[in-house]
Amino acid sequence: MIDTLILTLDATMRVSTPLIFAAFAGMFSERSGVVDISLEGKMLAAAFTAAAVAYLTNSAWLGLGAAIMVSVSLAMLHGVACVTFRGNQVVSGVAINILAAGLTMTLGLSWFKQGGQTPQLTDAARFSIIEFPGAEMMRDVPVIGGIYSEMLSGHNIFVYLAFLVVPFSWWLLFRTRFGLRLRAVGENPKAVDTAGISVHRMRYAALLCAGILCGFAGAYISSAQNAQFVRDMTAGQGFIALAALIFGKWRPLPVLGACLLFGFLDAVAVRLQGVEIPGLGKAPIQLIEALPYILTVVLLAGFFGKAVAPKAIGLPYVKER
Amino acid sequence: MTSNALQLESISKRFGAVLANSDVSLSVEQGTIHGVIGENGAGKSTLMSILYGFYQADSGSIKVFGKEAKIHDSQDAIDVGIGMVHQHFMLVDTFTVLENITLGCEGSMLLSKGQAQAREALSKLSREYNLKVDPDALVGELPVGVQQRVEILKALYKGAKILILDEPTGVLTPQETDDLFKILLSLKEQGVTVLLITHKLKEIMHVTDNVSVMRQGKMVAHRHTAETNPEELAELMVGRKVVLQLEKPATDAGSKALTVSNLKVRDAQGIERVKGVSFEVAAGEIVGIAGVSGNGQTELMEALAGMVSPESGEIRYGDLLISADHKVCPSEMRKAGVAHVPEDRHRVGLVTSFSASENAILGYHRSSAWNSKGVLSSSTVGKHCAELMADFDVRPQDPTLKCANFSGGNQQKLILARELDQTPKVLLVGQPTRGVDIGAIEFIHQRLLDMRNRGGAILLVSVELDEILSLSDRIIVMCDGRVTGELAASEADECTLGLMMSSSRDINASEEKE
Amino acid sequence: MKGLDRNLPTWVNVGLLPLLNVVTALLISAVVFWLIDVNPLEAAEILLYGAFGYQEGIGFTLYYTTNFIFTGLAVAIAFHVGLFNIGGEGQAYIGGLGVGLLCLALDASVPGPVLLLLSTLAAALFGAAWAFIPGWLQAYRGSHIVITTIMFNFLASSLMVYLMVNVLREPGQMAPQSRALAETAWLPFMHDLFAAIGIEFERSPLNISLFLALLCAFGAWVFIWKTKWGYEIRTVGSNQQAAVYAGIKPARVMLLAMAISGALAGFVGVNEINGVQHRLLLDFHYGYGFAGIAVALMGRNHPIGIVLAALLFGALYQGGAELAFEMSNVNRDIVVVMQGLVILFCGALEFLYKPLIANMFKEKTA
């Protein structure tokens, strides 16, 4: 029983990693007042780029760099559309998601001739697993050994990085001048403008952060968690991350909690595939998978607690009325 | 010889066809409280926005402490020592007082470092100017009066030597207003120059040293406060126009068409705007409500029209009762014969992106005259609109033209046509001639009189005194959400009205004491 | 949508600017073709031939067009009331579920015409319900409709997988599909109709739900511009304060518009289940809901524009399939790219050229 739990938690760490990157990307963007439903598209494009570049250069790191660049470019496109030209932020997000879905497959087919997939990455071209010292030795110690060598040790660098992103983002948002201004822009851009700070520049900076983090999320999926890019690889994780962001009420620790909860639900669903639960019959996997969405809808409707979004979210800033 | 803190020379600013500021000059003596008074839309806010770098003036110059200043954005204004307390506070509700005050001048990359210094500086400022606030309180949880104090501190923290306050008392309770004035006086003692923008005469008389009056984008007068009086200022603000001579046959006041008793109304922010108003309007009578704009007239009209529900009290149109427990929708009011020409044409009375004919049925779109078998007949509506346009001389006489493309006067005539077409028993009409050319004014006034002569009841809200004087049979004066006077039109003149418009409870109270 | 510049003449606002946006989207599509080593002109030729060059191609084009008209209208109706319904995807899916459930229950006992009528109603009802809930949550609980409809897309997906795997799967079969529906539940194919009047037409999935789509487009036009309900919808979408002044209750009008929007999206189920698949299965709706956004934006939320944009997208879908068949280094996803570009330039960047054009006009008049 405990072993099963440890294995599930181990899987939770792996599944939560891209959610954490993407949800925190969304946090930067939405805290600055820009709705970001294009987390999915940025992740997908980054996943494709990482796999493609890692394959071509045989370097996982170059793949990551390229993935970040592509993801950031999409974030900047979002900025041009809805910060500079004051377009509809949701429409822009939808466009980026669809563009990413189409471009990855189109370019993938043309470059690699494998029906849109990228070729399998060799071990050298992907991120490898980091074993903690003594993990092998600890393996047989009951409980603690399992936790140490299964759950904590034996992940690739992204997993650990994701857990560093949380305190770093918190520090950046709540303990620095940059963070103060970024949050202010999302609450009351006029207050920022009258204080002599450029609203547009702050929003672009926030989108830059979002782009970088989505780059990590995408690269993780295609060059660490897996070893190639396949069609629609992100499979809605960008939207789960968005749900986690809302469920965590746009605050770092609760968002981390939501990512872990949603990751856990996913890991459980995988584990329960085809399992008969005594008295219940077949495990309702689809229900477990749908829980993040149900919880988010219920929360948004204010049936428990109230998710208060940044006040200026979704509104283009117009200086002169 | 005192020097000027601020000197504006012939500032002009145009928005499209509207000249918001026309050749405006203003000198503000250092260390004084200087009032700028004028009605809504007189150009005060535009002038202050130019001073604070939100807009660029088309022409003219600004001198701050004798030096020419080029103000392109808020940062430039802050740099020359101008601070501004906006009408709608520029505060982040989810931040603490300290975070709000330091926003934009945090001191260092890391908040903790800068904030320690800021905390000290702030407590010094608080002591100096006697402005008490808790630096760690969340701004959103503070009462409005304290939030305003935070705004003042924010400006002072950034080194403001000239403090502009734009309509600062609109959101305050009387006690908070008194506190604010104490603060302003102590700022003055410390050598800060205060520029107070308001449309409330009482405040000007109470706290300023000098006052400048704006009307329709122009600066019309400068006075030492001690040498003027509220009546003169009211007249200057409202201005005189050629009084249009209207033939007004005597009618017998008929039965009561509208009875309002002890009505109280709150606005969307929860502030009480109408504070217990009672009056009646009889059939065949025009009752004018005079007053400086912003004294509860807007909210009164919205409640009377069923757009917001009263907080307490009653409104009665014949058998139709409206109260807090008995809410009535505007469409039921129309059925009961109550028509409404709202004071804000663009935001309320029209859908500017719709054609004239679509606007001609706004609020009456469910009428069986143009609905048959579920279909709204556009040809019938078009014909109807053409008739209205011909009857009310709306030009261009094209029902398919988008409403946004009509001039203000023609838009207003279309609304009036729509509302009068149903031969209502009661007409509520707000600012019927605001932004309307002279020819149309005469026409609109005649139509209103026609309705009265037919036995209709009209409640007219206007800031134009001559409009009130020439149309009304009876005049009610509103100030600060209360009725401060009521008199027959024959007994009224601008002087009496001006006195009533500038009165308030305090003045009444002091008069009673004497 | 909003934001038309009053200082610009009408033909610029509704003609030139949208045209410039579409042309930009097409030009960048050409760049993408060029990037993958395909001559854009050659591609366009194959695309056009695939879409319109032969009977089967035309059939497929119009079959796709049918779905796009439904989802495009759905997005447009919601736009008119000022809401962005990106849940067309889920509403189409659930609409199809309604059709499937009804036909599986009644196809043995109810005569064909009645069954088809009922299943059309079921599609509308199920689709409407799936849009009504987010609409209600927006109007009365303040949840943002965009987020809720996204969540409802995923919920629809999970629900369908659950039902197809656990409840509705044909016994003894591996594939998550229901049993085939009785022929009474089939909509007539166009090629059969043509054959009945003696015209030979190649087989294609095109069926008479195209007429339903055209009827809906006409109906939407009448509803939006010729009824008091449409009038109220447009008033709420343009100026909520004026709506309140006119005695309209914005929350109720929003609910009405969302229900109609969902019903229209639900009709995709009629075309797919009654018309083509003849059984309930997974993912028959895939992508049509999102394409509806592009169709509505490009058609400027007007039924005529939507029918034309739907035809263009139908042609792109079918022509894209032809292209994928003819050229080894292209697949149908190139159409998805073009769709994304249309949404980007006709939607998010709709004001791209406005400052430029406005400047040109200012100089001219100055």
Side-chain angles (χ1 to χ4, degrees):
Chain A
M1 186 60 203
I2 291 220
D3 284 350
T4 318
L5 184 66
I6 289 175
L7 282 176
T8 312
L9 290 177
D10 177 47
T12 302
M13 302 261 293
R14 284 196 302 269
V15 185
S16 303
T17 297
L19 298 184
I20 294 172
F21 280 120
F24 277 78
M27 187 184 304
F28 278 99
S29 169
E30 301 214 334
R31 276 282 189 167
S32 82
V34 181
V35 173
D36 199 354
I37 64 167
S38 61
L39 297 173
E40 176 85 2
K42 286 194 285 257
M43 268 165 84
L44 191 68
F48 170 74
T49 314
V53 173
Y55 172 75
L56 294 172
T57 62
N58 220 22
S59 157
W61 291 101
L62 283 179
L64 172 64
I68 290 174
M69 272 166 55
V70 165
S71 172
V72 165
S73 325
L74 287 180
M76 292 300 112
L77 179 63
H78 195 45
V80 170
C82 44
V83 177
T84 304
F85 284 98
R86 296 173 199 154
N88 184 315
Q89 301 177 356
V90 175
V91 175
S92 168
V94 170
I96 288 172
N97 284 338
I98 293 179
L99 259 184
L103 274 178
T104 49
M105 295 310 290
T106 303
L107 298 177
L109 178 75
S110 157
W111 291 345
F112 302 106
K113 313 267 186 267
Q114 296 191 0
Q117 304 184 355
T118 62
Q120 281 280 342
L121 296 178
T122 58
D123 282 348
R126 50 184 296 224
F127 289 92
S128 52
I129 280 167
I130 298 171
E131 288 286 352
F132 283 7
E136 223 21 67
M137 243 163 53
M138 291 277 285
R139 198 166 294 273
D140 296 328
V141 182
V143 187
I144 301 172
I147 291 177
Y148 183 73
S149 47
E150 276 298 335
M151 198 183 123
L152 297 180
S153 166
H155 295 289
N156 57 63
I157 189 166
F158 283 92
V159 177
Y160 305 114
L161 213 59
F163 285 88
L164 288 180
V165 159
V166 177
F168 178 72
S169 302
W170 173 83
W171 176 81
L172 199 60
L173 279 172
F174 293 90
R175 285 293 176 268
T176 68
R177 178 169 75 190
F178 172 75
L180 185 79
R181 292 176 174 187
L182 188 147
R183 286 182 292 129
V185 161
E187 292 288 338
N188 188 351
K190 278 213 120 148
V192 176
D193 197 1
T194 51
I197 305 163
S198 159
V199 173
H200 285 191
R201 201 182 308 158
M202 284 315 298
R203 288 198 167 157
Y204 270 104
L207 286 172
L208 176 71
C209 297
I212 293 171
L213 288 174
C214 279
F216 277 104
Y220 168 75
I221 291 174
S222 68
S223 64
Q225 196 179 20
N226 300 286
Q228 70 175 143
F229 176 85
V230 299
R231 171 181 282 275
D232 198 20
M233 175 152 220
T234 46
Q237 290 179 79
F239 291 109
I240 296 255
L242 188 66
L245 175 65
I246 296 164
F247 197 70
K249 304 178 182 182
W250 294 270
R251 296 206 304 261
L253 264 188
V255 169
L256 172 67
C259 289
L260 291 173
L261 172 68
F262 293 175
F264 178 73
L265 289 173
D266 195 20
V268 168
V270 170
R271 193 150 282 273
L272 289 181
Q273 198 95 44
V275 175
E276 294 273 338
I277 298 178
L280 274 176
K282 228 185 236 166
I285 299 162
Q286 287 79 23
L287 181 66
I288 299 173
E289 280 175 345
L291 264 181
Y293 306 115
I294 297 174
L295 289 174
T296 305
V297 167
V298 172
L299 178 84
L300 265 183
F303 289 117
F304 54 83
K306 187 86 191 132
V308 184
K311 232 184 242 152
I313 200 164
L315 306 171
Y317 182 63
V318 186
K319 191 168 179 161
E320 294 204 6
R321 278 154 300 151
Chain B
M1 186 70 197
T2 43
S3 61
N4 282 336
L6 202 59
Q7 184 134 20
L8 304 185
E9 295 279 359
S10 41
I11 299 278
S12 293
K13 175 74 186 173
R14 178 182 286 279
F15 293 109
V18 183
L19 197 55
N21 282 165
S22 154
D23 198 20
V24 172
S25 298
L26 174 68
S27 310
V28 179
E29 256 174 60
Q30 195 171 339
T32 62
I33 300 181
H34 192 114
V36 176
I37 195 164
E39 295 204 307
N40 290 348
K44 297 167 299 185
S45 288
T46 306
L47 188 65
M48 294 311 129
S49 295
I50 289 170
L51 251 181
Y52 201 63
F54 266 13
Y55 304 135
Q56 306 294 308
D58 297 336
S59 61
S61 72
I62 303 171
K63 270 188 199 155
V64 183
F65 298 115
K67 257 196 281 181
E68 184 97 1
K70 290 264 173 276
I71 301 173
H72 296 292
D73 58 24
S74 311
Q75 191 63 52
D76 292 341
I78 296 169
D79 289 345
V80 294
I82 298 177
M84 182 143 173
V85 175
H86 298 264
Q87 192 175 359
H88 305 284
F89 300 152
M90 298 296 167
L91 295 171
V92 181
D93 284 351
T94 53
F95 283 11
T96 64
V97 169
L98 192 65
E99 284 172 327
N100 265 295
I101 287 174
T102 53
L103 185 67
C105 49
E106 296 84 348
S108 74
M109 283 292 288
L110 289 181
L111 289 182
S112 52
K113 220 167 118 196
Q115 279 187 346
Q117 290 163 1
R119 192 179 291 273
E120 234 169 81
L122 189 61
S123 75
K124 201 172 143 238
L125 275 177
S126 292
R127 274 196 313 270
E128 250 172 61
Y129 296 102
N130 200 19
L131 286 159
K132 271 176 241 123
V133 283
D134 170 12
D136 298 312
L138 276 185
V139 159
E141 291 168 2
L142 294 174
V144 190
V146 182
Q147 291 192 5
Q148 194 169 53
R149 236 175 276 166
V150 175
E151 278 282 33
I152 295 172
L153 272 173
K154 194 165 97 177
L156 296 174
Y157 181 77
K158 289 180 178 166
K161 294 280 168 275
I162 303 167
L163 190 65
I164 306 170
L165 294 105
D166 188 5
E167 300 283 358
T169 59
V171 291
L172 300 185
T173 63
Q175 289 76 21
E176 285 174 328
T177 306
D178 286 344
D179 289 345
L180 173 70
F181 289 160
K182 272 182 214 145
I183 292 169
L184 295 187
L185 290 170
S186 85
L187 286 174
K188 181 176 121 179
E189 269 168 39
Q190 304 280 335
V192 177
T193 309
V194 177
L195 200 53
L196 177 68
I197 317 302
T198 182
H199 63 260
K200 295 185 184 167
L201 291 157
K202 181 188 144 203
E203 296 173 359
I204 293 288
M205 297 311 295
H206 194 76
V207 78
T208 62
D209 300 306
N210 298 298
V211 53
S212 302
V213 186
M214 284 191 81
R215 187 172 71 226
Q216 291 171 351
K218 293 192 183 74
M219 199 56 92
V220 290
H222 301 282
R223 297 279 186 279
H224 291 296
T225 310
E227 293 162 13
T228 182
N229 55 53
E231 298 86 82
E232 186 195 16
L233 290 178
E235 258 184 55
L236 284 167
M237 270 168 80
V238 175
R240 286 168 196 276
K241 269 199 213 123
V242 200
V243 176
L244 300 162
Q245 286 303 319
L246 289 164
E247 203 143 314
K248 212 161 65 176
T251 54
D252 300 325
S255 55
K256 282 168 206 161
L258 165 61
T259 311
V260 177
S261 38
N262 204 20
L263 182 71
K264 293 185 179 173
V265 185
R266 286 180 193 278
D267 68 7
Q269 278 77 45
I271 297 165
E272 195 173 82
R273 293 296 190 182
V274 179
K275 307 172 179 174
V277 163
S278 304
F279 61 88
E280 286 171 356
V281 184
E285 176 184 48
I286 297 182
V287 173
I289 296 190
V292 173
S293 63
N295 276 289
Q297 300 98 316
T298 306
E299 290 77 11
L300 173 68
M301 287 297 256
E302 281 179 351
L304 293 179
M307 292 173 67
V308 297
S309 345
E311 169 84 4
S312 66
E314 276 186 13
I315 302 166
R316 215 177 257 285
Y317 293 99
D319 299 331
L320 184 72
L321 168 79
I322 310 174
S323 69
D325 305 321
H326 192 256
K327 294 175 179 135
V328 175
C329 160
S331 54
E332 290 170 68
M333 314 260 308
R334 289 194 174 84
K335 269 187 215 130
V338 180
H340 177 203
V341 176
E343 61 175 25
D344 190 333
R345 281 195 289 280
H346 296 277
R347 264 179 44 243
V348 182
L350 293 170
V351 182
T352 45
S353 58
F354 279 13
S355 68
S357 62
E358 284 175 312
N359 273 298
I361 57 167
L362 186 70
Y364 303 95
H365 54 278
R366 295 193 194 94
S367 158
S368 59
W370 30 80
N371 279 287
S372 72
K373 300 189 192 99
V375 174
L376 186 64
S377 163
S378 43
S379 60
T380 315
V381 172
K383 223 181 281 161
H384 171 67
C385 181
E387 282 167 19
L388 292 183
M389 290 174 119
D391 191 10
F392 277 74
D393 192 31
V394 180
R395 282 179 244 177
Q397 212 160 326
D398 176 3
T400 62
L401 195 66
K402 263 213 181 80
C403 222
N405 297 331
F406 287 90
S407 72
N410 284 303
Q411 287 177 344
Q412 191 69 338
K413 283 198 271 185
L414 183 65
I415 295 178
L416 201 66
R418 175 181 79 206
E419 298 302 321
L420 288 182
D421 181 62
Q422 309 293 319
T423 51
K425 294 198 197 91
V426 181
L427 177 69
L428 309 169
V429 49
Q431 319 297 355
T433 55
R434 177 183 283 171
V436 167
D437 51 292
I438 291 279
I441 290 177
E442 208 166 343
F443 185 91
I444 289 169
H445 284 172
Q446 193 53 54
R447 289 298 171 132
L448 292 177
L449 278 180
D450 288 350
M451 174 177 169
R452 160 197 180 260
N453 297 343
R454 275 200 313 269
I458 298 180
L459 183 69
L460 165 74
V461 168
S462 176
V463 294
E464 304 286 350
L465 277 188
D466 0 289
E467 183 164 79
I468 296 273
L469 282 168
S470 56
L471 282 175
S472 311
D473 297 298
R474 209 145 47 80
I475 298 170
I476 292 171
V477 183
M478 265 183 93
C479 181
D480 194 27
R482 293 187 178 81
V483 172
T484 50
E486 181 173 344
L487 65 177
S490 49
E491 301 160 12
D493 56 52
E494 291 195 12
C495 190
T496 2
L497 287 180
L499 188 65
M500 289 174 165
M501 279 159 67
S502 60
S503 73
S504 72
R505 244 189 339 179
D506 302 353
I507 292 176
N508 288 344
S510 58
E511 277 171 357
E512 275 159 29
K513 257 183 249 159
E514 287 163 13
Chain C
M1 289 157 70
K2 284 163 208 149
L4 296 185
D5 194 326
R6 261 196 266 156
N7 299 324
L8 290 176
T10 315
W11 69 269
V12 173
N13 269 326
V14 304
L16 182 64
L17 284 174
L19 186 73
L20 280 176
N21 289 331
V22 174
V23 168
T24 312
L26 291 180
L27 277 180
I28 297 194
S29 304
V31 172
V32 175
F33 274 110
W34 173 78
L35 267 180
I36 57 172
D37 274 334
V38 173
N39 179 343
L41 289 177
E42 195 186 333
E45 200 186 321
I46 297 174
L47 225 149
L48 276 176
Y49 173 77
F52 299 113
Y54 55 98
Q55 288 180 353
E56 192 194 354
I58 296 174
F60 267 94
T61 296
L62 292 177
Y63 148 70
Y64 291 124
T65 303
T66 308
N67 282 340
F68 294 141
I69 293 177
F70 288 136
T71 54
L73 289 173
V75 174
I77 297 261
F79 264 139
H80 277 295
V81 86
L83 296 177
F84 192 2
N85 173 17
I86 56 176
E89 202 76 5
Q91 290 142 20
Y93 214 176
I94 296 299
L97 173 67
V99 172
L101 289 179
L102 185 107
C103 293
L104 286 170
L106 300 180
D107 65 352
S109 52
V110 172
V114 179
L115 185 67
L116 290 174
L117 196 70
L118 285 178
S119 64
T120 308
L121 282 177
L125 218 62
F126 272 62
W130 210 248
F132 185 87
I133 306 169
W136 185 85
L137 289 171
Q138 162 88 55
Y140 291 102
R141 311 281 317 185
S143 350
H144 201 294
I145 194 120
V146 167
I147 305 292
T148 325
T149 47
I150 290 176
M151 300 298 139
F152 267 65
N153 285 342
F154 286 101
L155 289 178
S157 217
S158 299
L159 179 66
M160 286 298 285
V161 172
Y162 173 76
L163 289 176
M164 294 317 302
V165 171
N166 298 308
V167 184
L168 299 171
R169 177 168 27 190
E170 190 174 7
Q173 292 288 318
M174 273 310 288
Q177 296 183 338
S178 76
R179 68 170 169 81
L181 303 178
E183 280 202 40
T184 47
W186 297 12
L187 280 176
F189 282 112
M190 285 298 201
H191 51 83
D192 290 334
L193 278 189
F194 278 118
I197 53 169
I199 302 170
E200 198 153 317
F201 197 85
E202 281 174 42
R203 293 184 66 86
S204 77
L206 181 63
N207 59 74
I208 62 164
S209 52
L210 174 64
F211 296 129
L212 177 64
L214 293 175
L215 198 71
C216 283
F218 179 72
W221 177 75
V222 171
F223 180 75
I224 286 291
W225 276 280
K226 300 285 165 196
T227 70
K228 55 188 170 194
W229 303 288
Y231 181 88
E232 296 195 346
I233 285 176
R234 286 182 296 123
T235 307
V236 171
S238 312
N239 183 343
Q240 277 208 30
Q241 259 182 305
V244 172
Y245 161 75
I248 299 167
K249 297 199 167 66
R252 275 196 218 166
V253 173
M254 282 182 191
L255 282 186
L256 173 72
M258 276 307 283
I260 293 171
S261 170
L264 285 166
F267 284 146
V268 168
V270 175
N271 185 26
E272 289 296 326
I273 308 297
N274 294 122
V276 183
Q277 312 289 354
H278 303 144
R279 55 160 40 99
L280 196 53
L281 70 176
L282 291 179
D283 289 340
F284 61 83
H285 71 300
Y286 198 76
Y288 295 123
F290 285 124
I293 298 168
V295 170
L297 287 171
M298 197 166 173
R300 306 203 52 91
N301 299 319
H302 192 286
I304 295 175
I306 286 169
V307 169
L308 293 176
L311 184 64
L312 177 82
F313 272 92
L316 282 178
Y317 261 54
Q318 165 53 19
E322 183 87 11
L323 205 59
F325 182 74
E326 289 283 325
M327 295 182 159
S328 64
N329 55 343
V330 179
N331 54 14
R332 289 181 62 179
D333 294 289
I334 185 74
V335 178
V336 179
V337 176
M338 297 175 78
Q339 187 181 317
L341 289 169
V342 166
I343 298 180
L344 186 67
F345 286 99
C346 298
L349 282 169
E350 62 173 336
F351 306 132
L352 182 62
Y353 294 107
K354 211 171 91 177
L356 194 80
I357 301 280
N359 254 343
M360 280 165 58
F361 270 84
K362 229 183 240 165
E363 274 163 31
K364 240 169 130 184
T365 50

